[in-house]
Amino acid sequence: GAVVSQHPSRVICKSGTSVKIECRSLDFQATTMFWYRQFPKQSLMLMATSNEGSKATYEQGVEKDKFLINHASLTLSTLTVTSAHPEDSSFYICSGSENYGYTFGSGTRLTVV
Amino acid sequence: AQKVTQAQTEISVVEKEDVTLDCVYETRDTTYYLFWYKQPPSGELVFLIRRNSFDEQNEISGRYSWNFQKSTSSFNFTITASQVVDSAVYFCALRERIQGAQKLVFGQGTRLTINP
């Protein structure tokens, strides 16, 4: 079945630095990739939707300059958390859209210290 | 606007009991899709089922079954003879078109604990 490979699975970074998270669709072309954020014991909140070759669409309240999304190819989308701060610590998970289903990456647990 | 409500925040049962997780949704679309996902402690989302709005047949997959009732906008999930390995957070989600884009919106999740 369809697989989305997400890396890294865990990352700890210092406050003020940037972190890049990659999601690759391994055996399908993800024309659309979704990025979610999940705080502890909470639901998944959609951050942005990216389509290959175009600018991402951000949900209300999500800072596009802070969460840079690049979807340069049909198999790769990246999320860069710029100038990370402790409040950005969260679980980030991507999802590739295929037909009417969604394939999720395994998630990235970001801790900003 | 759309919304997915999972009113049960946490459920705890003893192994082998049956348990039903409720999901109620709101949508203005006539065509939409409903999903259930399992999220174990490791964090990854495990796909369980997808159901479109035109298919109201109930579905059974092993110990899992789903009851889709359009009349009450509910898509409930039942685990029969629960096992410790069923312990996880379960999310119900709705896919519909919002402002021209297909989006998947999740309920708040139900944390299910199966005690031995």
Side-chain angles (χ1 to χ4, degrees):
Chain A
V3 174
V4 171
S5 176
Q6 183 171 348
H7 294 280
S9 58
R10 289 180 179 271
V11 58
I12 300 173
C13 71
K14 290 186 177 180
S15 188
T17 62
S18 295
V19 174
K20 179 183 281 188
I21 301 169
E22 287 192 355
C23 278
R24 292 181 182 273
S25 55
L26 296 185
D27 48 8
F28 71 103
Q29 293 181 333
T31 53
T32 302
M33 193 74 82
F34 301 90
W35 287 92
Y36 293 84
R37 181 176 184 175
Q38 185 180 30
F39 289 109
K41 296 192 176 183
Q42 293 190 24
S43 186
L44 284 80
M45 298 302 296
L46 181 64
M47 298 174 64
T49 303
S50 72
N51 293 297
E52 184 264 339
S54 62
K55 290 184 178 180
T57 302
Y58 290 82
E59 296 299 302
Q60 193 172 8
V62 177
E63 299 177 61
K64 61 180 180 180
D65 294 331
K66 181 164 190 62
F67 299 100
L68 300 179
I69 292 173
N70 184 284
H71 195 163
S73 77
L74 287 172
T75 59
L76 175 63
S77 179
T78 63
L79 167 67
T80 302
V81 183
T82 63
S83 187
H85 291 286
E87 58 265 30
D88 298 324
S89 298
S90 189
F91 188 66
Y92 294 87
I93 191 165
C94 63
S95 172
S97 175
E98 180 191 31
N99 294 323
Y100 296 100
Y102 300 85
T103 301
F104 286 84
S106 54
T108 297
R109 197 164 300 281
L110 170 63
T111 303
V112 184
V113 298
Chain B
Q2 53 74 44
K3 184 178 175 182
V4 179
T5 302
Q6 294 179 255
Q8 304 147 308
T9 306
E10 296 190 24
I11 299 176
S12 181
V13 300
V14 177
E15 198 172 21
K16 298 184 183 178
E17 287 186 21
D18 298 346
V19 58
T20 296
L21 283 61
D22 298 333
C23 174
V24 175
Y25 62 93
E26 297 176 33
T27 180
R28 294 179 182 175
D29 274 4
T30 55
T31 302
Y32 52 89
Y33 288 81
L34 294 163
F35 299 78
W36 274 96
Y37 289 91
K38 173 182 180 180
Q39 187 178 42
S42 55
E44 80 273 19
L45 281 176
V46 178
F47 168 79
L48 296 178
I49 190 171
R50 179 185 74 207
R51 178 52 51 87
N52 74 55
S53 51
F54 297 107
D55 183 2
E56 286 195 71
Q57 282 193 342
N58 293 329
E59 183 153 339
I60 298 175
S61 177
R63 296 184 297 107
Y64 295 170
S65 62
W66 291 269
N67 185 308
F68 178 27
Q69 299 274 351
K70 282 182 77 170
S71 60
T72 55
S73 296
S74 66
F75 187 42
N76 297 336
F77 171 36
T78 297
I79 301 175
T80 303
S82 61
Q83 299 176 2
V84 173
V85 293
D86 295 327
S87 297
V89 179
Y90 290 85
F91 290 98
C92 179
L94 167 69
R95 176 184 186 265
E96 65 168 9
R97 185 172 291 275
I98 303 173
Q99 297 178 331
Q102 295 287 351
K103 296 185 179 181
L104 187 65
V105 179
F106 289 83
Q108 287 304 105
T110 297
R111 183 175 299 275
L112 176 64
T113 302
I114 310 298
N115 299 298

